[in-house]
Amino acid sequence: MTTFLAVTAPIYFFAPDSLINDWTDKIFGLTLAVNVSAHSWIGLNYVVTDYVPKISKAMVGPARLFSAGLGLITVVGLGKIAMNGQGGIKSTILALWRGNDVNDKVNEGDKELAS
């Protein structure tokens, strides 16, 4: 799983938009959403196993439930972003650094398709 993320994430984020169509973007986005969520869930379970019993052994179960819930929320949120039809995860992350320029270009493209 870690190797998959290390190899495919840079390919997905640095690939030119001309090579990635709508379906490829959604498939890569959903695959990354599932892998990132599972990776964080597994990592949080290791944290729960190592550190929560030092505080209270009775808190291990609720802490594991919390980490599973957080993983579920992560996969649903990233999955929704991946399927939104406005460039998916790649455009959302680019918009964090570039501001509204990326969203304006996507919205202009939507307007051209609608007319």
Side-chain angles (χ1 to χ4, degrees):
M1 182 179 336
T2 303
T3 305
F4 176 81
L5 284 173
V7 171
T8 59
I11 292 170
Y12 172 66
F13 288 118
F14 293 121
D17 290 336
S18 61
L19 292 177
I20 297 179
N21 62 21
D22 189 42
W23 287 106
T24 307
D25 186 42
K26 288 181 181 183
I27 290 169
F28 266 101
L30 284 174
T31 305
L32 283 173
V34 169
N35 275 285
V36 165
S37 300
H39 190 83
S40 92
W41 175 61
I42 291 168
L44 282 173
N45 275 322
Y46 281 119
V47 170
V48 167
T49 301
D50 289 344
Y51 296 107
V52 174
K54 293 177 183 179
I55 297 170
S56 170
K57 291 187 185 211
M59 290 298 297
V60 172
R64 287 190 192 276
L65 187 63
F66 175 77
S67 70
L70 192 61
L72 183 64
I73 290 170
T74 304
V75 77
V76 168
L78 287 175
K80 183 176 179 180
I81 291 171
M83 297 299 287
N84 72 4
Q86 295 182 357
I89 294 174
K90 182 177 181 179
S91 290
T92 302
I93 291 177
L94 286 174
L96 291 172
W97 278 272
R98 293 184 183 165
N100 289 332
D101 295 340
V102 174
N103 290 332
D104 291 341
K105 290 178 185 176
V106 170
N107 290 335
E108 289 173 13
D110 289 343
K111 289 177 187 174
E112 289 175 11
L113 290 175
S115 58

